[in-house]
Amino acid sequence: MVVSQVALKPSRYSLTDSVFDVLVARLHSGHIPPESTLNIDALARELEVSHTPIREALARLGAMGLVQRSAHTGYRSAPLISMREMGEIFDARLAVEPALAKHAASNVTDVFLDDLNGSVERLRTRAEGPGDSSPQLSLDESRYFHDRIARQSSNLFLSNALHMISGHSQRIQLVGIARRGDHSDVCGEHAAILRAFEQRDPDAAESAMHDHVYAIARRTRDEFEATDSSCSK
């Protein structure tokens, strides 16, 4: 199997983390197609590691919904996400993320604002550039913005809920539609959330986050429907 250079072999900074990164890259790139068998022995030989980091990485991917385990067939990559599942993911985000933003707005610090401002500026630079040659970097930047707000909320249970939801959200990327060119929209929405934090206004932060997640859901649904329509022709 031919794989991209980024996904050839794991580095040694942490075997489990590195194997996890390799498998995520392969899933997102399509080198591991949906509903493919993931053989632990074969992966261990190919990546030149023991079975333990492979099992640990697969368990993490299972918790994120990117792979599934069966007692009879072992691990398989998840099937493509359905419209119903995608709707449920965004319903969960709408229940959790505005609450996280509201909590975070009561714990604002200068460091927190600097972190969010830096994230908005990095995303703006990519959105206003000649073209996003690596959409994954923009997606990673957006994920950092949301994770940083979750950490600032100081609500462990809501943060853990978001972590689980975010894992399942990555299944949307397997369809390819999450690599969309909406980063200008996202940047503007992140800036609106940042302004609410600068004002130390919990209600405004909650509202801005709700509007942002709802807008992402609408854009994703529209593109999912367009992709599904083109594939059925």
Side-chain angles (χ1 to χ4, degrees), residues 59-136:
R60 285 172 59 183
L61 291 168
M64 296 170 63
L66 291 177
V67 304
Q68 299 174 348
R69 184 183 183 187
S70 166
H72 301 290
T73 60
Y75 285 99
R76 294 175 64 85
S77 55
L80 290 178
I81 195 167
S82 67
M83 180 70 82
R84 179 186 61 79
E85 290 173 314
M86 188 168 64
E88 290 176 354
I89 288 171
F90 280 113
D91 284 346
R93 288 189 63 180
L94 284 168
V96 170
E97 293 204 63
L100 282 167
K102 186 171 186 176
H103 283 289
S106 299
N107 296 314
V108 170
T109 64
D110 290 342
V111 171
F112 172 62
L113 293 177
D114 287 344
D115 288 347
L116 292 191
N117 186 66
S119 177
V120 169
E121 289 305 315
R122 288 190 296 272
L123 192 58
R124 179 177 290 118
T125 297
R126 299 191 65 80
E128 294 177 352
D132 198 347
S133 59
S134 180
Q136 185 62 45

